[in-house]
């Protein structure tokens, strides 16, 4: 999948009148599933999480999870 900035993705979505889905992740399994689905569909997504999840894993560990 082509890598572009968040701002570029939002601009493209607005210009082409479509939404970018946001998915709440809470561990490696949910993050991996969301990313793999987006790759298969060749579509951008937004990964979001809760304060509780960040506190549970720590910001650095959660960041490492997202470097699939």
């Amino acid at each position: 999948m082509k890598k572009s900035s968040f701002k570029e993705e939002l601009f493209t979505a607005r210009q082409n009148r479509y939404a970018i889905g946001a998915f709440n992740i809470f561990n490696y399994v949910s993050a991996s599933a969301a990313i793999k689905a987006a790759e298969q569909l060749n579509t951008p997504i937004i990964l979001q999480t809760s304060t509780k999840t960040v506190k549970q894993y720590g910001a650095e560990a959660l960041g490492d999870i997202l470097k699939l």
Side-chain angles (χ1 to χ4, degrees):
M1 181 183 295
K2 178 187 115 190
K3 298 222 179 199
S4 57
S5 73
F6 184 61
K7 185 176 178 179
E8 290 170 331
E9 291 293 349
L10 290 177
F11 180 79
T12 300
R14 185 173 188 176
Q15 292 297 107
N16 294 296
R17 302 179 57 84
Y18 64 85
I20 298 176
F23 301 92
N24 191 37
I25 56 107
F26 49 91
N27 59 22
Y28 174 82
V29 174
S30 60
S32 178
I35 291 168
K36 286 179 184 175
E39 288 175 339
Q40 287 176 352
L41 295 170
N42 195 31
T43 190
I45 61 170
I46 299 167
L47 295 178
Q48 57 189 25
T49 195
S50 66
T51 302
K52 181 180 177 182
T53 300
V54 175
K55 286 180 180 178
Q56 179 180 350
Y57 289 102
E60 188 174 332
L62 190 58
D64 289 342
I65 287 172
L66 297 177
K67 294 177 186 173
L68 306 170

